[in-house]
Amino acid sequence: MRSTFMGLETARRGMFTQQSALYTTGHNISNANTPGYTRQRINFAQTEPYPGVGMNRPQIPGQMGTGVEAGTVQRIRESFLDLQYRTENTKMGYYGAMSESLTKMEEIMNEPSENGLHSTLEKFWNALQDLSSHTENTGARDVVAATGQMVADTLNYYYNSLSRVQEDIGNQVDVKVDEINAIVAQIDHLNKQIASVEPHGYLPNDLYDERDLLVDSLSQLVNVKVTSVVPNTYGDAKPMAAGLYNIEIVQKDGKSYNPPISLISATKESGIVGTNKVELEKSEDSGLVTGLKIGSASFTQFETLSGELSGLINSYGYEAGGSAKGAYPEMLEKLNRMTSAFAKEFNEIHKNGYALGADAISGLDFFQFDEGNPAQSIKVNQELLDDSSKIAAAAEKGGASGDNHNAQLLADLRKKSFSDYTSLTDDEKSKLNGSIDSYYSGIIGRLGVDSQSAQKDLKNSAVLADSVDRNRQSVSAVSLDEEMTNMIKFQHAYNASARNITVVDEMLDKIINGMGVVGR
Amino acid sequence: MRVTQSMLSNNMLRNLSNSYSRMDKLQDQISTQKKFTKPSDDPVAAMMGMNYRTDLNRIQQFTRNIGEVRNWVDSTDDALDKGVMALQRIRELTLQASNGTLEGDQRKAVAEEIKQLKEHLQNIGDTQVGGKYIFNGKQTNVRPSESGFQSGTIELEVFSGIKIPVNTEGKALFEDMLSDEGDIQKLITALETNDPAVGDMLEKVDKNIDKFLSARALIGAKQNRVELMEDRLSQQEVFSTRILSDNEDIDMEKAIIELTTQESIHRAALSVGARIIQPTLTDFLR
């Protein structure tokens, strides 16, 4: 025989459950603009029917429903889309850092323009041509010395500005490493909180959201693979429990390193094993990155790394196989190599010429520079700036005022191929090609292509990340219209349950107060 | 696909930002009049631009050089012309003096005029262009009449690898003729001493005239060459400027039409955004 008050109980459950659904709706609406928030849904479930199966079950026509209960509160999220998003986000981080640093480089080089090295060199060559038509003219000589100094100044400026930006990028690398460590620590903390909730049969949805948001930002910095681990010792955990996040740094193509490099490790057997900090290793001499220390492992394979950290390291520079790699060190080296070759050969020609009225060869260097860092230190010999008549324009003894042959040799240097430079060793020549003009425009062309392709890749990965994010939003974002509709739905169900109580109440009133009063 | 309010607003924001960046690019192009400002905007064009600039710059420099060459050559021609005129006057005077009809005083007067002409020729030998003695070989800062004529060829580059010798050595033209034992001095002495050998001097004067004339012919040929070069350079300059401009200058009409188009797209994006963002179901449920 069923209980007298069963109907009351069923209706009460209905009210309770609809109420909790209404609260969840309220929660969704409140968090419509919270970053990383995933909309939640209450999974309704029917309660056990009456009677249960058994030998001494009451003899009633069949099983009757006993109402509804709120089962789980579930996040509506698609983990496959997370994976896609994070892959694109990593690329976006890498190309973002790369394109930004290359753009800065382009801004410093300032080509093509009227103020770049190219046009300064043009002015210098022109000054030498003018010198060859007015060798005896002090003005023309002064202009050669002054434009020579302009070339030197431009090279100094390039070198110093590039170094300064490189230093900034170096600081950013430090900041990003700290950021990675901070995010890892936060995820670790969340892992622990989650591990203390899940075994009790709850789903800590807000913690999941927070953790996923942190993984999103981690994925921008470095390419990671996230695996979810539900430990064996997890007590009453719901099957839907997300478990612990095991986070590993992987290669560009998503493959694990050998041995695997983990930031946070968790296993089925022992739960959270621990986290690894990332530390930057820098060379004492050059200041370039020599490796990343992750836990006890030392990581040096920067070519296979992606993400913003890798983009910054690739710009700032790292040492691999004894040589400096990366956009900035390579550009600085090219400038140095070019400056040194140009200055040496120019000096060589200049030294063998004759100053105005001189009986002995000049022997003076036109440019002075420090072998260690030519582009930073190059300047015009002060003696020539003080007394431009010492510029060796003549090629014959006596330094006749009309002898312009050496000035022409100097002016001809612009189209002389590096391979014809007499002052260079074969090794030096092998690293340079073309003339100084074509070499420099080659440098700029290469920079342009690199920067353009980084920008294009950034754009592409941004478009992809955007479209994946749209798909993700499509699944997980809160739609106010939808919540409003649900609200009305749940409200009506709540009201109807309440009305149901009224009906049962009237029925009971009949039973209790209206029955068995015959004759009264 | 489920679409939510936040997706719409994010989308609108993204579209507006794209639209702004296109307008920014157009603004850059129109205000700088250049298709690109950074090598990465168009690496190939930027590199070509640098090469074209080099070409143009060299052509302009060669044009300057050739101006200097013309200066030298024209001045030389002018000086030689005057030299020929002086020598022809000397020839006339010698002819007059050689037919034996002149009195002693008259011969003296002739000698005096030839002395003046000799000095004139010396001045011609000292001709300066822009402070340079053009007949003194490489020693352009030394007055040849004081130090004696020096030798040496001065060349200027007028085209890639093409050098034109610009000076005429004065030594052969002036030195022997004007020296103390030279032909003209001998003529003067003959006139003053009433030497009947004056007639023989005519031949020597003719020889000098010939020398000057052939030097002038050479200069004339050089002038033609310079003119040819000048023509070629000015043509090349026009050509190079056009290539440079084609490579990097914007087409104003095109840019403005693009801007106008972009502007209307932007307006549409704004107004569509404003319409789409506002209403939600909340507005209709009371």
Side-chain angles (χ1 to χ4, degrees), chain B residues 194-209:
Chain B
N194 211 355
D195 192 331
V198 169
D200 302 343
M201 300 306 287
L202 206 56
E203 197 185 337
K204 286 185 178 160
V205 173
D206 279 346
K207 253 186 201 155
N208 279 316
I209 292 176

Side-chain angles (χ1 to χ4, degrees), chain B:
Chain B
M1 193 185 198
R2 205 175 147 264
V3 180
T4 68
Q5 276 82 20
S6 65
M7 285 163 77
L8 286 179
S9 55
N10 287 345
N11 215 359
M12 180 182 90
L13 217 58
R14 194 168 38 240
N15 288 336
L16 281 180
S17 145
N18 284 343
S19 168
Y20 272 125
S21 85
R22 277 194 290 272
M23 293 215 287
D24 179 50
K25 176 113 199 159
L26 283 165
Q27 187 193 25
D28 241 15
Q29 287 187 339
I30 291 172
S31 57
T32 60
Q33 293 290 307
K34 298 275 176 225
K35 282 182 200 154
F36 51 86
T37 48
K38 290 199 303 298
S40 58
D41 294 340
D42 189 344
V44 175
M47 238 175 100
M48 297 308 281
M50 284 168 80
N51 294 339
Y52 294 148
R53 246 168 242 268
T54 302
D55 288 347
L56 180 61
N57 203 1
R58 292 177 77 177
I59 289 164
Q60 284 168 343
Q61 183 60 41
F62 287 141
T63 310
R64 260 165 79 156
N65 288 2
I66 212 155
E68 183 65 13
V69 171
R70 180 171 268 285
N71 234 351
W72 279 77
V73 173
D74 287 355
S75 305
T76 307
D77 183 51
D78 189 48
L80 291 179
D81 183 39
K82 290 204 178 94
V84 170
M85 267 154 63
L87 282 169
Q88 266 161 356
R89 176 68 187 148
I90 291 175
R91 190 180 186 280
E92 267 171 41
L93 291 169
T94 314
L95 205 62
Q96 277 178 27
S98 65
N99 59 17
T101 56
L102 293 183
E103 297 296 317
D105 277 355
Q106 283 172 317
R107 284 171 77 105
K108 278 225 171 72
V110 168
E112 207 48 51
E113 190 176 347
I114 292 180
K115 255 189 213 167
Q116 291 299 319
L117 285 166
K118 183 190 169 195
E119 226 157 88
H120 179 54
L121 281 167
Q122 203 142 38
N123 287 343
I124 292 172
D126 286 348
T127 304
Q128 272 182 304
V129 174
K132 286 175 277 199
Y133 294 100
I134 59 173
F135 289 113
N136 206 23
K138 284 187 176 178
Q139 302 289 350
T140 51
N141 58 348
V142 181
R143 184 183 287 271
S145 60
E146 283 169 8
S147 63
F149 283 87
Q150 309 290 321
S151 62
T153 311
I154 297 173
E155 292 182 324
L156 287 182
E157 194 173 10
V158 291
F159 206 70
S160 201
I162 299 174
K163 287 177 185 158
I164 292 186
V166 293
N167 65 328
T168 303
E169 286 190 24
K171 203 179 176 74
L173 293 174
F174 297 98
E175 189 154 87
D176 287 344
M177 175 178 84
L178 293 177
S179 75
D180 288 347
E181 287 86 40
D183 296 341
I184 296 181
Q185 192 55 48
K186 275 183 194 156
L187 180 62
I188 293 167
T189 320
L191 283 169
E192 280 172 345
T193 55
N194 211 355
D195 192 331
V198 169
D200 302 343
M201 300 306 287
L202 206 56
E203 197 185 337
K204 286 185 178 160
V205 173
D206 279 346
K207 253 186 201 155
N208 279 316
I209 292 176
D210 277 353
K211 262 199 250 174
F212 269 71
L213 285 176
S214 72
R216 261 199 94 186
L218 213 65
I219 284 292
K222 221 178 261 180
Q223 275 173 321
N224 286 343
R225 192 173 163 197
V226 168
E227 234 158 73
L228 223 67
M229 277 296 179
E230 266 175 341
D231 274 0
R232 201 150 123 201
L233 282 171
S234 68
Q235 260 174 22
Q236 290 238 348
E237 184 171 358
V238 173
F239 189 56
S240 284
T241 312
R242 208 191 63 221
I243 292 183
L244 187 66
S245 167
D246 283 352
N247 187 53
E248 58 190 50
D249 292 350
I250 55 158
D251 180 348
M252 198 63 176
E253 289 85 350
K254 199 175 147 213
I256 286 183
I257 287 174
E258 272 173 27
L259 181 70
T260 318
T261 313
Q262 190 53 45
E263 199 185 338
S264 52
I265 292 173
H266 188 70
R267 278 176 194 281
L270 282 171
S271 77
V272 163
R275 275 157 191 267
I276 278 182
I277 292 296
Q278 275 168 358
T280 68
L281 189 54
T282 330
D283 301 307
F284 299 94
L285 288 174
R286 288 279 174 257

Side-chain angles (χ1 to χ4, degrees), chain A residues 286-497:
Chain A
S286 58
L288 297 183
V289 178
T290 54
L292 288 173
K293 204 162 159 261
I294 301 162
S296 58
S298 199
F299 176 88
T300 52
Q301 295 150 275
F302 295 110
E303 304 82 18
T304 57
L305 194 65
S306 186
E308 199 176 342
L309 179 69
S310 156
L312 289 170
I313 291 176
N314 270 304
S315 310
Y316 174 71
Y318 59 92
E319 279 180 9
S323 62
K325 295 269 172 64
Y328 276 76
E330 278 170 30
M331 179 56 85
L332 290 173
E333 202 188 322
K334 277 180 195 164
L335 280 181
N336 269 339
R337 218 181 271 151
M338 182 183 86
T339 306
S340 156
F342 160 70
K344 271 188 194 165
E345 187 71 8
F346 198 87
N347 284 347
E348 183 78 12
I349 298 170
H350 187 262
K351 260 192 234 173
N352 288 319
Y354 292 81
L356 195 60
D359 282 329
I361 58 164
S362 156
L364 277 183
D365 280 338
F366 188 91
F367 290 112
Q368 291 173 325
F369 63 94
D370 173 8
E371 288 278 356
N373 47 2
Q376 190 181 24
S377 61
I378 187 170
K379 59 175 193 212
V380 170
N381 194 341
Q382 190 61 42
E383 265 191 71
L384 299 174
L385 286 169
D386 291 343
D387 179 4
S388 60
S389 70
K390 287 185 178 163
I391 292 175
E396 278 169 32
K397 199 176 158 174
S401 55
D403 185 352
N404 61 3
H405 192 61
N406 211 44
Q408 277 171 344
L409 288 180
L410 289 170
D412 284 347
L413 188 60
R414 80 174 307 170
K415 48 187 184 198
K416 191 164 168 184
S417 164
F418 284 120
S419 57
D420 296 331
Y421 279 23
T422 54
S423 59
L424 298 189
T425 64
D426 284 345
D427 182 46
E428 285 171 314
K429 281 181 196 170
S430 71
K431 288 175 182 153
L432 294 157
N433 50 349
S435 65
I436 178 162
D437 268 4
S438 63
Y439 183 76
Y440 181 66
S441 60
I443 291 180
I444 296 298
R446 175 72 196 275
L447 171 61
V449 171
D450 285 351
S451 173
Q452 190 193 38
S453 86
Q455 284 167 35
K456 212 184 289 172
D457 289 339
L458 173 64
K459 229 176 243 173
N460 288 343
S461 52
V463 167
L464 282 173
D466 260 359
S467 99
V468 177
D469 197 41
R470 272 165 65 82
N471 288 339
R472 218 159 65 145
Q473 295 270 319
S474 165
V475 175
S476 301
V478 175
S479 155
L480 291 177
D481 294 348
E482 186 179 303
E483 298 301 327
M484 291 304 289
T485 317
N486 281 339
M487 202 163 85
I488 292 158
K489 197 167 81 182
F490 296 137
Q491 193 185 10
H492 282 309
Y494 179 87
N495 290 347
S497 291

Side-chain angles (χ1 to χ4, degrees), chain A residues 269-285:
Chain A
E269 292 72 31
S270 40
I272 303 165
V273 178
T275 61
N276 285 323
K277 263 198 145 156
V278 179
E279 275 173 67
L280 205 60
E281 291 174 329
K282 283 186 178 176
S283 150
E284 276 186 25
D285 301 333

